[in-house]
Amino acid sequence: MELYIKKNRTFYFEGEEIIGESGLSYEVYERIGSGGNGVVYECIDQSGMIYAVKFMLHFTEKSKIRFKQEVSLMKRLNHPHTIKYIDTGIVKVRESRKAHGERDALFVIMERADSNLKEFLLQTRSIPYEVYVPQFRGLSEALVEIHQYAIHRDIKPENILIKGERWVLSDFGLCEFLDDREHYDITGENEKIGPVFWISPEAVNKYYFGENDLGTYSDVYQLGMIFAFVLLGKFPGGIISSKDFGNIGEDLACVVLKMLDNNYHRRPQSGREVLEILKKATIDKYFNTDSGTT
């Protein structure tokens, strides 16, 4: 089987199947996408269920630690708006078909999404209130769940997956764990922490000046950028006022602007605080048990 990441980066393993630590086997099919450290393929288990499998194809110790910590968090999370963990394992790969040496490539299997928020917005620039508000609340609930254990630090449209009618937070490779001796932050000094365009002000300050530690409030800023992106139908750069949001309602606009405050002390400090003010600012009649929100 060929695992293609990008030009001049292809790995191979024997056969078409991988075996998870559960003992179940999965047949690997078409490539879905790739990132800096690995590649994602579709896979199917013995019962015909379709999933996604992410292979970690950087073999530094730092990359392995990040990947293992990402899987560790996925196993803990249990919310409709976080990506669902299925299985994990290791497969032996070679850097060419004729290479004799093999490397251990870690992989994680998760639910298969239909698309991501970036792709969704390219197709649907104007999203109705009854669609986006339940998803905003669901993503806020997901952040409540994540903030029990970690700071996400990498919230961007590509990492919000679309699964049916659910918007799902994914990709926990940059997470920093909270009060957990089994995990630690391996981010280097003066290393950019977070996605370009969506990074919080304190993350920029930390990169340039070594000031301002990131916290759960940094995730609040990134999620606020996502909310503004959806509401405006364009990138929310520059100075934004409530007038830019049109007729969505002053209360909801106020929530988003609070999340985007340059001073993190004035922002909601966590996913739970976002959820509380979001519930007060939105109309309950659109919500039901099928949406995954409460």
Side-chain angles (χ1 to χ4, degrees):
M1 176 73 193
E2 178 181 284
L3 298 177
Y4 171 77
I5 301 183
K6 56 185 178 180
K7 188 177 180 180
N8 299 326
R9 287 213 70 202
T10 304
F11 295 85
Y12 304 87
F13 67 89
E14 295 296 333
E16 304 289 331
E17 289 187 342
I18 53 176
I19 299 176
E21 65 178 14
S22 65
L24 296 176
S25 64
Y26 305 85
E27 191 166 355
V28 181
Y29 281 89
E30 63 182 20
R31 180 177 179 271
I32 299 171
S34 65
N37 293 329
V39 64
V40 180
Y41 276 74
E42 183 178 89
C43 67
I44 301 177
D45 71 6
Q46 295 155 307
S47 66
M49 292 293 293
I50 300 174
Y51 301 112
V53 54
K54 179 179 178 180
F55 295 94
M56 199 282 289
L57 296 172
H58 267 206
F59 302 99
T60 64
E61 199 58 35
K62 184 175 180 178
S63 295
K64 290 178 184 178
I65 292 171
R66 280 201 192 281
F67 195 85
K68 288 177 180 178
Q69 292 190 166
E70 177 178 11
V71 173
S72 172
L73 181 58
M74 288 179 67
K75 288 179 176 180
R76 299 183 188 195
L77 299 175
N78 182 27
H79 191 277
H81 290 268
T82 59
I83 195 71
K84 185 179 179 183
Y85 166 84
I86 303 298
D87 206 347
T88 191
I90 299 173
V91 62
K92 298 284 187 182
V93 300
R94 302 188 309 276
E95 295 191 37
S96 72
R97 292 188 186 277
K98 296 181 179 180
H100 296 293
E102 292 182 319
R103 293 176 177 266
D104 288 339
L106 305 173
F107 65 81
V108 61
I109 295 171
M110 65 199 94
E111 66 179 325
R112 167 75 153 97
D114 305 316
S115 62
N116 62 44
L117 187 57
K118 176 188 174 183
E119 294 167 348
F120 184 72
L121 288 175
L122 283 172
Q123 299 172 357
T124 312
R125 296 292 290 274
S126 180
I127 303 172
Y129 182 96
E130 60 269 24
V131 172
Y132 66 71
V133 169
Q135 304 309 320
F136 285 4
R137 287 173 62 159
L139 291 172
S140 300
E141 289 180 2
L143 208 57
V144 174
E145 179 95 357
I146 291 166
H147 284 171
Q148 294 182 72
Y149 311 107
I151 310 165
H152 190 291
R153 306 198 302 183
D154 197 20
I155 300 173
K156 59 183 179 180
E158 293 89 340
N159 288 344
I160 296 177
L161 305 182
I162 311 293
K163 175 66 176 176
E165 296 184 352
R166 289 181 291 125
W167 296 4
V168 178
L169 265 174
S170 69
D171 205 328
F172 308 114
L174 276 186
C175 279
E176 178 184 355
F177 282 77
L178 302 168
D179 300 324
D180 191 332
R181 295 181 182 179
E182 296 179 10
H183 306 86
Y184 56 94
D185 186 12
I186 56 176
T187 304
E189 195 71 26
N190 296 117
E191 182 179 341
K192 288 190 181 75
I193 307 170
V196 177
F197 307 128
W198 312 95
I199 195 169
S200 67
E202 56 273 16
V204 178
N205 287 336
K206 188 172 180 65
Y207 172 67
Y208 278 110
F209 309 114
E211 299 174 352
N212 299 142
D213 287 333
L214 276 65
T216 53
Y217 45 78
S218 307
D219 285 349
V220 168
Y221 180 89
Q222 290 186 337
L223 189 61
M225 288 286 284
I226 296 298
F227 290 175
F229 190 41
V230 170
L231 295 173
L232 297 174
K234 59 184 180 181
F235 181 73
I239 298 172
I240 304 171
S241 74
S242 57
K243 294 179 182 179
D244 294 308
F245 292 108
N247 60 356
I248 69 165
E250 187 175 341
D251 290 344
L252 181 53
C254 184
V255 169
V256 177
L257 291 174
K258 283 181 179 178
M259 295 171 73
L260 295 178
D261 199 306
N262 185 272
N263 186 334
Y264 63 82
H265 294 291
R266 294 195 295 258
R267 277 181 228 144
Q269 294 295 290
S270 66
R272 186 167 299 281
E273 288 190 22
V274 171
L275 182 61
E276 288 172 359
I277 61 175
L278 191 58
K279 282 182 174 180
K280 293 176 183 178
T282 51
I283 301 170
D284 287 326
K285 70 179 181 179
Y286 293 113
F287 300 96
N288 56 59
T289 54
D290 294 333
S291 69
T293 62
T294 57

